[in-house]
Amino acid sequence: MRVIKADVAVFGSGPAGIGAALAAARGGAKTYLIEKMGILGGQMTGGLVTGLHGYRVHVNANLKDGDNVYLAMDHKTKQTVAGIPEEVVNRLKEMGAAYTSGEGPAMRQEYEPEAMKILLFKMMDEAGVNLMLNTFAFGVIMEGTKIKAVRLANKNGEEYIEAKQFIDATADGDIAAWAGAPYEKGRPEDGRVSSVTVYTKFGGVDLHKMLDYLDEHPEDNHIGTPEGWRKVLDANNGPLHVNGFRELIQKAHTNGDYVVPLNGKYDKPSPIFIISHSCFPSDQTAMNIDMGYNIDLTDNDDVTRAEVHARMVQIPQVAKFLKKYMPGFENSYLMESAPLLGTRESRRIVGEYMLNEDDILSNRKFDDGVARCGRAMNVHSPTGGKDKEERGGQHWLEPNDPQGYDIPYRCILAKGVENVLTSGRCISVTHYALGSVRGIPNCMATGEAAGTAAALTIKQDKTLRSLDIQELRKVLRANNVILD
């Protein structure tokens, strides 16, 4: 049985794992990246997500005006994320696969997922990261409060990986939880977690006709204005992020043409459509809609139920709904659905500090800040919302004077385990704070912080808790990470 020796072992190659593996390897550590799929990127590739959302400060993101700052062309607000996340955008631009109209990344930076697959492999190869694809982690071997090894399974059979530092970028906090770190799940009153989705791609769409409908039915438009979107569409200089169509969905549901998403609590669901024309030809769209509520992503039976329902029930009925009810979609057809379930929340590993809503709303600074974020708290409903509730029970919270806030090192330091750092959406935050930090660039930024810290401990023969945080911040700044 093979035993692999590493300095740093990173689990999961979503945005957090990408940031962590690159930072650790560039910091001189012998780094292994373990990924269950045959591609890198997580939601960025396997999830068909077309936008990296969270590079800048959100300001009045839901204003209905033609110059809405939620547009992917937005370069007006303060940039809070750079480092490896910005490098990824810049390199995608060089490939002709990232779409922006200004210097630096936009608030939501659109890109081509297929190009992302190529780029991530190239970046890992350049950094000397050792890849283990199609490999599952399924348990840990402990020595006291330290992980000695993680058990792996792949075509070789069972294997083990030993490392000096382990970085949990699994999104679900699997490694840290198995090692005994405490965790929370869901909102405080009942433990219910945010919704899941599956990104879908449709062709045969007439977006001008869809915008004509919104002209006549402003109540069905939640972001921007049809005239503003039309300018973007006609100039072909950016993506559309059209959000709404609630009244059409309610009408279809009343007629028996739209089923309640899995585990929906109310009889009349108010899910949110997001239709994005980004990196596609003008007759194609990407679509994101809630398809299941309160799915426990740490329970395989629950995940299986959600996968089957989304692909057997929800996606086919959305396709029928579009053709029958949505102007401009009369000739539409389903081109593709993401192979990876779109997820927002499961375990949040308890660290030495738990970032909370007040920290975000007060633009808080921390002495041990290792990343910054300006994204609003976008918390999708765990239930589908009450009948007629605005945006299906979705919560959107911003500071009165948004400037961005720090994510402290203590939030990625798993409590009770000596050699585990967390990154991405499983870091130590509250349910509502997660709605902010779960943005892809922000997950990549916490990954970069974790990878940099892990490499430094090995270089300096330090523990995660004896590491000089100001030295870590100095290295991060030198690598173009925004901390000020």
Side-chain angles (χ1 to χ4, degrees), residues 293-441:
Y293 300 113
N294 195 37
I295 305 301
D296 185 352
L297 300 174
T298 67
D299 182 329
N300 193 63
D301 292 340
D302 223 20
V303 175
T304 299
R305 193 177 305 115
E307 293 269 21
V308 171
H309 185 271
R311 301 181 193 284
M312 185 176 71
V313 179
Q314 206 77 30
I315 294 173
Q317 68 106 40
V318 166
K320 290 179 182 178
F321 160 78
L322 291 171
K323 290 180 73 71
K324 186 173 180 179
Y325 289 88
M326 182 75 77
F329 281 75
E330 294 86 351
N331 299 312
S332 64
Y333 56 94
L334 178 65
M335 297 179 64
E336 186 178 9
S337 63
L340 195 61
L341 187 69
T343 59
R344 295 184 175 97
E345 181 182 14
S346 56
R347 294 190 191 99
R348 293 173 280 107
I349 302 299
V350 176
E352 301 296 341
Y353 182 80
M354 183 172 284
L355 192 79
N356 59 60
E357 302 93 287
D358 288 340
D359 295 330
I360 295 173
L361 294 175
S362 63
N363 302 304
R364 189 152 294 157
K365 294 277 297 170
F366 292 93
D367 291 340
D368 63 336
V370 290
R372 282 183 60 73
C373 181
R375 194 175 184 267
M377 285 180 275
N378 177 14
V379 184
H380 285 243
S381 171
T383 63
K386 298 178 182 178
D387 182 27
K388 298 296 183 183
E389 187 174 17
E390 178 67 17
R391 296 176 65 86
Q394 181 183 8
H395 291 274
W396 188 288
L397 302 170
E398 304 174 4
N400 290 328
D401 178 29
Q403 299 294 322
Y405 60 90
D406 288 354
I407 300 173
Y409 177 69
R410 288 165 292 162
C411 285
I412 67 173
L413 200 56
K415 216 170 202 178
V417 189
E418 292 183 46
N419 59 341
V420 174
L421 289 167
T422 60
S423 59
R425 68 169 173 80
C426 65
I427 70 171
S428 183
V429 296
T430 64
H431 167 73
Y432 285 99
L434 178 63
S436 176
V437 302
R438 67 178 175 83
I440 286 177

Side-chain angles (χ1 to χ4, degrees), residues 202-220:
F202 287 86
V205 177
D206 183 344
L207 291 169
H208 284 93
K209 190 172 181 180
M210 180 194 73
L211 293 176
D212 290 342
Y213 167 80
L214 292 179
D215 275 327
E216 299 171 6
H217 299 273
E219 71 279 3
D220 252 356

Side-chain angles (χ1 to χ4, degrees), residues 33-269:
L33 177 58
I34 295 90
E35 167 55 42
K36 66 182 179 181
M37 297 178 70
I39 57 174
L40 303 176
Q43 294 296 334
M44 296 187 293
T45 53
L48 288 186
V49 175
T50 65
L52 309 175
H53 188 180
Y55 282 99
R56 294 178 181 272
V57 172
H58 263 143
V59 178
N60 296 320
N62 293 313
L63 285 179
K64 293 186 177 180
D65 59 51
D67 198 24
N68 191 301
V69 298
Y70 190 73
L71 293 173
M73 293 89 77
D74 170 42
H75 292 81
K76 301 174 186 174
T77 59
K78 181 182 296 185
Q79 186 175 343
T80 52
V81 178
I84 290 173
E86 183 177 60
E87 178 187 347
V88 168
V89 171
N90 290 338
R91 295 187 65 166
L92 285 169
K93 286 181 184 178
E94 291 173 4
M95 298 169 67
Y99 300 84
T100 182
S101 61
E103 291 299 317
M107 175 60 199
R108 178 183 165 103
Q109 179 62 60
E110 297 295 329
Y111 68 97
E112 289 184 3
E114 285 300 316
M116 181 73 85
K117 293 177 187 177
I118 298 168
L119 175 63
L120 295 180
F121 279 126
K122 184 174 178 60
M123 292 179 74
M124 293 298 160
D125 184 62
E126 292 168 351
V129 175
N130 299 281
L131 299 179
M132 295 187 70
L133 302 179
N134 303 301
T135 298
F136 285 81
F138 69 95
V140 299
I141 298 172
M142 301 294 294
E143 283 188 344
T145 57
K146 292 182 69 173
I147 295 179
K148 178 183 179 183
V150 174
R151 301 175 70 187
L152 306 175
N154 55 34
K155 285 294 185 180
N156 297 335
E158 186 173 347
E159 300 185 317
Y160 295 83
I161 185 164
E162 297 180 353
K164 296 171 184 175
Q165 304 293 3
F166 295 85
I167 298 178
D168 190 334
T170 61
D172 298 324
D174 291 337
I175 306 302
W178 295 339
Y183 60 86
E184 293 183 357
K185 282 193 289 189
R187 60 189 184 185
E189 62 265 34
D190 57 13
R192 293 178 70 102
V193 299
S194 294
S195 58
V196 299
T197 185
V198 176
Y199 257 84
T200 50
K201 188 174 174 182
F202 287 86
V205 177
D206 183 344
L207 291 169
H208 284 93
K209 190 172 181 180
M210 180 194 73
L211 293 176
D212 290 342
Y213 167 80
L214 292 179
D215 275 327
E216 299 171 6
H217 299 273
E219 71 279 3
D220 252 356
N221 181 48
H222 290 179
I223 288 179
T225 63
E227 62 184 286
W229 298 125
R230 198 172 282 107
K231 289 177 184 177
V232 174
L233 182 60
D234 290 342
N236 196 29
N237 66 352
L240 270 66
H241 297 143
V242 182
N243 187 316
F245 306 103
R246 181 174 163 278
E247 295 301 321
L248 282 179
I249 292 171
Q250 293 284 49
K251 179 181 177 181
H253 177 69
T254 300
N255 294 340
D257 292 328
Y258 200 96
V259 300
V260 179
L262 185 65
N263 294 342
K265 186 176 178 182
Y266 300 98
D267 290 335
K268 294 182 178 180

